[in-house]
Every structure is written in C-alpha cells, then in structure tokens.
Amino acid sequence: QVQLVESGGGLVQPGGSLRLSCTSSTSGYTLDYYAIGWFRQAPGKEREGVSCISSSDPTTGYADSVKGRFTISRDYTKGMVYLEMKDLKPEDTGLYYCAGPEAYYYCSGSNQISADGMDYWGKGTLVIVSS
C-alpha cells in the first residue's frame, strides 16, 4: 500500500505562514509522476479540496477560499510537493492531507479540487490558526 506523508503543520497566529510538505514513503511511487492534491478537514466539517498540481506543465488549481494566499509547488529533485500558506486565517484550521492517484488524476486548474480519483492518502498534518 502506498503511503504518503505530510509534515509542516503547527500552531500559527492569524496572518502567519506555514509550509506543508508531502512525500511518499513507498518505493516505486514517486510523486513526480502523479498529480497530487491537498485536502483539509476542519472540526465538524466535511473534507474539502484545497489545491492540486499536475505531474507536468505543471497546472495548478486552488479553492476560492485559498486562492491568492496558498501556493502549491513541486521539487522534482526531491520528489516533494509543497503547500505554501500565507495570511492564514482561523478558518484555515484543520487537518491537512495530501493525496495521490493509483494511476491518473486530472488537475484542471479550476477551483474544483475533487477527491474522486485519489487513491492514496497521508495521515494528515494539523494546522491551527489561533491567537
């Protein structure tokens, strides 16, 4: 089973920044070759798609709630995907997951980041935005 691993969460004040990282701990599954998405789930709320990045180009997509504040990127030399988060707000609080497909996921660049087609998930990293 493919295992994705997130890191970089923590407690930050409103207006602060964090950078989340995602990698694969499973040999044979390198993030470079797959579209990867970031999702989050706030307490008492449904999981929502935050951002995605295609394997090449790369095309990126963002939910309206984070556009202009979050930036998704890749480091092909390290097989990592990052989510740079700036101007954080209390409503950004939640457990953040990265996810990848078994074969193919279409990151269209729109504001709709669907979990359909994502087969592998990490355990999440917790982001708390509070003063």
Side-chain angles (χ1 to χ4, degrees):
Q1 180 72 6
V2 171
Q3 190 66 55
L4 302 186
V5 181
E6 307 92 341
S7 62
L11 173 63
V12 64
Q13 292 187 342
S17 301
L18 283 173
R19 187 178 80 158
L20 306 184
S21 300
C22 175
T23 188
S24 168
S25 63
T26 304
S27 63
Y29 191 89
T30 304
L31 301 191
D32 295 355
Y33 303 118
Y34 301 95
I36 299 297
W38 283 98
F39 300 81
R40 68 186 181 188
Q41 188 164 20
K45 294 188 177 181
E46 292 187 357
R47 183 179 60 196
E48 64 169 332
V50 174
S51 182
C52 66
I53 186 167
S54 64
S55 58
S56 58
D57 303 49
T59 299
T60 59
Y62 299 94
D64 288 342
S65 58
V66 306
K67 199 166 188 178
R69 301 187 297 121
F70 289 13
T71 303
I72 192 170
S73 62
R74 291 183 175 274
D75 185 333
Y76 290 99
T77 66
K78 297 180 179 178
M80 303 283 289
V81 173
Y82 303 103
L83 186 68
E84 189 81 37
M85 307 187 296
K86 297 182 179 180
D87 190 23
L88 283 161
K89 304 176 181 181
E91 51 264 41
D92 294 317
T93 293
L95 194 58
Y96 282 70
Y97 303 88
C98 66
E102 180 179 8
Y104 180 75
Y105 176 88
Y106 180 50
C107 177
S108 66
S110 76
N111 59 357
Q112 301 299 310
I113 316 298
S114 173
D116 292 343
M118 290 299 191
D119 301 295
Y120 306 125
W121 295 78
K123 295 181 179 179
T125 185
L126 184 60
V127 173
I128 300 175
V129 185
S130 175
S131 55

